[in-house]
Amino acid sequence: MSVEQRTQVGIIGAGPAGLMLGRLLSLHGIDSVIIESRSQSYVIDRVRAGVLEQGTVDLMHEAGLAERLGRLGLRHEGIYLAFNGGRHRIDMTALTNGRAITIYGQNEVIRDLIDARVAAALPLHFEAPAVAIRDIETRQPVIEYEMAGERKRIRCDFVAGCDGFHGIARSAIPVGVLQSYERTYPFAWLGVLADAAPTSEELVYSLHPRGFALFSMRSPTVTRLYLQCDPDTDVTAWPDDRVWKELTTRLSTDDGWRPAEGTITQKAVTPMRSVVSEPMHHGRLFLAGDSAHIVPPTGAKGLNLAMADVYRLSLALHDFYTTTRTDLLATYSTRGVRRTWAAQRFSWLMTSLLHRINPDNPFDYKRQLAELEYLVGSRAAMTSLSESYVGAAFD
Ligand code: APR
Ligand code: PHB
């Protein structure tokens, strides 16, 4: 016999989506239980993205979680595009009526959310993988999970599948209902974290004959850098001196700018993939974040899309519990899918603009240079890029 708990919303996954949903629901007085397959330290320590759109920053404020963000977050009003030896600044804030992005690591967001959940003494179980989701077409779906060698059940009104790309929630939507659209890119990113003071106050995206490189940061003493590489790259083939040599080659510009070297503290390869699963809702199951969509990291949209999903879902659930109306829940998926495709469009655009596509044929490289020249010379084109980069308001 398994132990059964009861809650209003059962949340699978303690990534940014699941934790923020739990936080927003608690502010609306809605109960939830969060279960997470990994340990707390694994979830906090894994190195992920670090660019927050204005909408995500606003949501952190709304959620009462902006104290550390206000202190440690780095507000950026522009980005640089580097190509052909030049470095060109795009003044995103001037072009978008004052909107900006904020650099704040995803693991810091996770830390803030976990601290708030623990301080409020709300249920959050680590090392507790969901193994089955049942009865989603009824009003009382059930999540089955394992914890400390025991099989347990959560009976709830709604299940939120916030369990990322490798979770189980998506596959609970019946075959024939769920449609997936996928594109895998023929390259990956080798990412490093280094104890080195950033030499640029803003991000530098570079298209170089040897491939894409990105200069980013996490704090005034930590740099985050990426190199385009083959998808089957083995990090052991990239000792630190090779990484710095390649980064310096691909990022240095004719004005003398280059990244500073420092001790590399983390090194990993990230595959580049786009996936959209539709619909994001079936019966009483709602998907949010990476469980429903993956974007290549070039546009830095993954975390922000997840946040937009759970904001929308929290409002729809609040509306349901206060008025019994279901129209916001019913349109949760169509509104989310629209935002997802807009993010896919932008991520695809940035990815194809900045990566070497076919190194044996210089045609595409020359065309990309022409595209970049046009972009940095046209206020209209820079405005368009900036609008997508800072992100549309959450709805
Ligand atoms: N049971 C419980 N938890 C699970 C299960 C399961 N069966 N399967 C996966 N999980 C957990 C994962 O361990 C992970 O902690 O769900 C969590 C999903 O978190 P993320 O992968 O971070 O996804 P999400 O919250 O949607 O956030 C999207 O994360 O992938 C990055 O860069 C991406 O910024 C984006 C953001
Ligand atoms: C990062 O800092 O991790 C980062 C920044 C910009 C991107 C992707 C990743 O486009």
Side-chain angles (χ1 to χ4, degrees), residues 189-230:
W189 280 10
L190 173 67
V192 301
L193 202 61
D195 289 333
T199 50
S200 165
E201 286 191 351
E202 293 171 338
L203 273 53
V204 183
Y205 288 84
S206 173
L207 171 65
H208 186 272
R210 294 177 62 84
F212 169 77
L214 170 60
F215 174 91
S216 179
M217 65 203 70
R218 287 292 176 273
S219 76
T221 55
V222 175
T223 317
R224 178 84 172 133
L225 304 123
Y226 299 96
L227 286 170
Q228 177 183 352
C229 63
D230 287 332

Side-chain angles (χ1 to χ4, degrees), residues 281-304:
H281 155 219
H282 185 76
R284 288 285 179 111
L285 170 67
F286 289 81
L287 303 179
D290 277 14
S291 70
H293 38 66
I294 304 268
V295 284
T298 327
K301 291 290 166 212
L303 171 63
N304 298 295

Side-chain angles (χ1 to χ4, degrees), residues 46 75 93 105 120 133 183 200 266 272-273:
R46 76 188 145 184
R75 179 182 155 94
T93 298
I133 304 169
R183 179 188 188 125
S200 165
Q266 203 263 356
M272 307 267 286
R273 192 156 44 180

Side-chain angles (χ1 to χ4, degrees), residues 186-334:
F187 37 75
W189 280 10
L190 173 67
V192 301
L193 202 61
D195 289 333
T199 50
S200 165
E201 286 191 351
E202 293 171 338
L203 273 53
V204 183
Y205 288 84
S206 173
L207 171 65
H208 186 272
R210 294 177 62 84
F212 169 77
L214 170 60
F215 174 91
S216 179
M217 65 203 70
R218 287 292 176 273
S219 76
T221 55
V222 175
T223 317
R224 178 84 172 133
L225 304 123
Y226 299 96
L227 286 170
Q228 177 183 352
C229 63
D230 287 332
D232 57 3
T233 295
D234 178 357
V235 285
T236 59
W238 283 87
D240 296 359
D241 53 349
R242 182 175 177 207
V243 172
W244 286 121
K245 189 162 180 282
E246 195 63 31
L247 282 167
T248 305
T249 304
R250 294 193 199 177
L251 285 167
S252 298
T253 44
D254 294 345
D255 57 5
W257 181 78
R258 53 185 289 171
E261 296 187 16
T263 307
I264 292 180
T265 54
Q266 203 263 356
K267 201 184 286 173
V269 174
T270 311
M272 307 267 286
R273 192 156 44 180
S274 304
V275 182
V276 181
S277 298
E278 305 177 14
M280 295 171 69
H281 155 219
H282 185 76
R284 288 285 179 111
L285 170 67
F286 289 81
L287 303 179
D290 277 14
S291 70
H293 38 66
I294 304 268
V295 284
T298 327
K301 291 290 166 212
L303 171 63
N304 298 295
L305 262 187
M307 291 297 183
D309 284 345
V310 295
Y311 175 67
R312 207 170 60 252
L313 184 54
S314 70
L315 290 183
L317 288 167
H318 174 60
D319 198 45
F320 172 81
Y321 281 113
T322 48
T323 67
T324 74
R325 278 172 29 187
T326 53
D327 42 326
L328 290 184
L329 286 170
T331 56
Y332 167 79
S333 176
T334 40

